[in-house]
Amino acid sequence: MVGVGTWQLDDDTVGDSVRAGLDAGYGHVDTAEGYRNEAAIGDALADYEREDYFLTSKVLPKHLDYESVIAACEASLDRLDTEYLDLYLVHWPNPAISIRETMNAMAHLKAEGKVRNVGVSNFSAYQLSAAQHVSDVPIAVNQIEYHPWNTQDDVVEHCRETDTVVEAAAPLGRTEVFEDETIQAVAEEYDRSVPQVILKWAVENDVVPLPKSTSPDHVRANLELFDWDLAEEDRQRIDDIGRHQPVYDHPARDWTSDTYGISQ
């Protein structure tokens, strides 16, 4: 229900974070080819039994044609030194490539046993609906920007209606949310840290948060969520913040970037 996030963790720090997380009781590690740390994560995971953790990676939007999805997945498997991924996600939608082609490749990978579940990331409700319409396999997950300043209610509602798990990328709003006075007040009342309150709120909203930290102590603290509860009125106080202020999922896209690679 809580995963070790690894975005922007380089080879010098990601292994310590992954080990701290798994040793603390996390069972879920999230990475992506675009994070460029899969090999270092694979090195860290070599110390653990494969069935003891749930491993997610993602394919870049520039690789969403049929053959490139398969090649990208096989490259991720090689870097992570594993025979399969528990979950493989389309990292971002790419309007220049047919989502039907992408999902056909995902279905092939699932049939081959290279991935056990497929999903998407950063999809709007409209984009998710289209992907679900053409996919021959269930879309298990939509990983989106989700935190108290950007709850994306329409996306979450569609996911609920279609039995799609919501995962929270940037669940702590990349620390920007820490300054929120309502959350600070709740944290003080519960004698908990601000990150713990935010993560507990996500879990109680049935959203899977993926916090990341370079500090093993913070990694461990981020999992200390399951021996206490938020009162319904306090969860509602956070729900009602309603700022709709994204920290990364902005409409502007650099289509020629390394992420999309769309030439004219």
Side-chain angles (χ1 to χ4, degrees):
M1 194 61 190
V2 182
V4 179
T6 63
W7 177 75
Q8 276 197 333
L9 297 185
D10 60 24
D11 290 353
D12 294 330
T13 58
V14 73
D16 289 342
S17 290
V18 168
R19 291 185 185 94
L22 293 180
D23 290 346
Y26 289 77
H28 181 176
V29 178
D30 179 90
T31 185
E33 65 166 323
Y35 296 174
R36 298 177 181 174
N37 58 16
E38 288 176 315
I41 290 173
D43 289 343
L45 292 176
D47 298 331
Y48 302 87
E49 296 296 325
R50 181 63 183 89
E51 60 270 18
D52 290 342
Y53 58 85
F54 184 98
L55 181 60
T56 299
S57 193
K58 311 177 191 77
V59 53
L60 281 168
K62 67 180 178 180
H63 292 151
L64 297 188
D65 63 276
Y66 185 93
E67 286 158 352
S68 294
V69 170
I70 294 169
C73 180
E74 290 173 347
S76 287
L77 291 173
D78 184 61
R79 287 188 293 267
L80 290 162
D81 194 20
T82 184
E83 294 183 355
Y84 67 94
L85 295 168
D86 296 283
L87 178 64
Y88 196 43
L89 303 180
V90 177
H91 202 156
W92 288 89
N94 184 339
I97 299 175
S98 164
I99 189 63
R100 187 190 300 274
E101 181 174 355
T102 304
M103 298 316 299
N104 283 346
M106 288 290 206
H108 172 80
L109 290 168
K110 191 171 189 295
E112 292 284 306
K114 294 177 180 177
V115 303
R116 294 191 169 178
N117 300 276
V118 305
V120 297
S121 182
N122 301 303
F123 273 47
S124 68
Y126 172 81
Q127 292 162 334
L128 176 57
S129 177
Q132 290 167 327
H133 183 69
V134 301
S135 180
D136 290 331
V137 292
I139 295 178
V141 165
N142 188 12
Q143 185 180 125
I144 61 173
E145 179 179 339
Y146 179 93
H147 50 75
W149 283 6
N150 191 35
T151 53
Q152 300 204 62
D153 295 343
D154 61 327
V155 182
V156 173
E157 181 180 0
H158 179 77
C159 289
R160 299 277 186 261
E161 291 173 350
T162 57
D163 294 324
T164 307
V165 174
V166 179
E167 291 185 345
L172 302 175
R174 295 186 177 169
T175 74
E176 291 184 24
V177 184
F178 290 4
E179 65 190 57
D180 190 277
E181 293 180 358
T182 297
I183 299 170
Q184 290 176 350
V186 173
E188 185 173 352
E189 291 165 17
Y190 282 78
D191 192 26
R192 296 284 176 173
S193 70
V194 166
Q196 286 173 329
V197 167
I198 295 170
L199 296 172
K200 183 65 173 181
W201 164 83
V203 168
E204 291 194 350
N205 281 339
D206 292 324
V207 172
V208 177
L210 304 167
K212 65 103 174 179
S213 177
T214 58
S215 164
D217 286 341
H218 290 167
V219 172
R220 288 186 285 269
N222 286 341
L223 195 64
E224 294 172 0
L225 308 175
F226 299 101
D227 59 352
W228 59 285
D229 297 299
L230 286 171
E232 183 176 350
E233 60 268 24
D234 294 321
R235 188 169 64 249
Q236 189 64 49
R237 287 164 66 188
I238 301 173
D239 286 342
D240 290 343
I241 290 172
R243 288 186 61 163
H244 305 295
Q245 183 176 332
V247 298
Y248 79 80
D249 191 5
H250 303 289
R253 299 280 185 265
D254 178 4
W255 299 116
T256 62
S257 68
D258 286 343
T259 296
Y260 288 94
I262 302 174
S263 61
Q264 287 185 308

